[in-house]
Amino acid sequence: MRKQYLHLSVYSCDRCSGPVVAGSLAVRENEISKETDIQQVGAICLSCGHRQSKMTKLGMPRQFPPVEWEQQITADASHSSMVVEEVLNHAT
Ligand SMILES: [Zn+2]
């Protein structure tokens, strides 16, 4: 059973030292397989809105446990739906 997982990590903002939340989506073919099709879905500081995609300060990002994510295909999320289409193509 192919499932999509959302990973979140948080690190310190270069501008204000606030929390930057970075997300990525990965696909797992089944319970025991490795994750594939990893897509960065963006990063943003919750404090000042700075879009910082890489951690530049010393220290480790805080990783949150991945959660299963069911994503719907919508017209607005053209990038995301493209990814989903790609995933579906691989499946057939
Ligand atoms: Zn900031």
Side-chain angles (χ1 to χ4, degrees), residues 12-20 45-50 52:
S12 183
C13 175
D14 277 354
R15 284 194 189 165
C16 72
S17 298
V20 178
C45 174
L46 297 182
S47 186
C48 73
H50 178 45
Q52 183 182 323

Side-chain angles (χ1 to χ4, degrees), residues 23-40:
S24 61
L25 288 166
V27 172
R28 220 180 268 187
E29 298 287 340
N30 56 53
E31 297 280 315
I32 56 164
S33 77
K34 286 196 302 190
E35 290 182 332
T36 56
D37 293 339
I38 298 167
Q39 303 280 340
Q40 296 296 322

Side-chain angles (χ1 to χ4, degrees), residues 3-22:
K3 284 179 180 172
Q4 184 173 241
Y5 287 86
L6 174 69
H7 293 253
L8 288 179
S9 58
V10 178
Y11 44 85
S12 183
C13 175
D14 277 354
R15 284 194 189 165
C16 72
S17 298
V20 178
V21 178

Side-chain angles (χ1 to χ4, degrees), residues 28-89:
R28 220 180 268 187
E29 298 287 340
N30 56 53
E31 297 280 315
I32 56 164
S33 77
K34 286 196 302 190
E35 290 182 332
T36 56
D37 293 339
I38 298 167
Q39 303 280 340
Q40 296 296 322
V41 291
I44 193 162
C45 174
L46 297 182
S47 186
C48 73
H50 178 45
R51 292 183 175 272
Q52 183 182 323
S53 57
K54 289 253 158 52
M55 191 186 76
T56 54
K57 288 189 176 174
L58 291 175
M60 292 289 289
R62 297 187 188 193
Q63 301 281 352
F64 290 86
V67 289
E68 193 182 325
W69 198 262
E70 288 181 33
Q71 189 167 19
Q72 302 209 337
I73 301 172
T74 61
D76 310 343
S78 56
H79 174 70
S80 300
S81 59
M82 240 174 62
V83 172
V84 173
E85 266 171 38
E86 214 178 281
V87 168
L88 292 174
N89 288 340

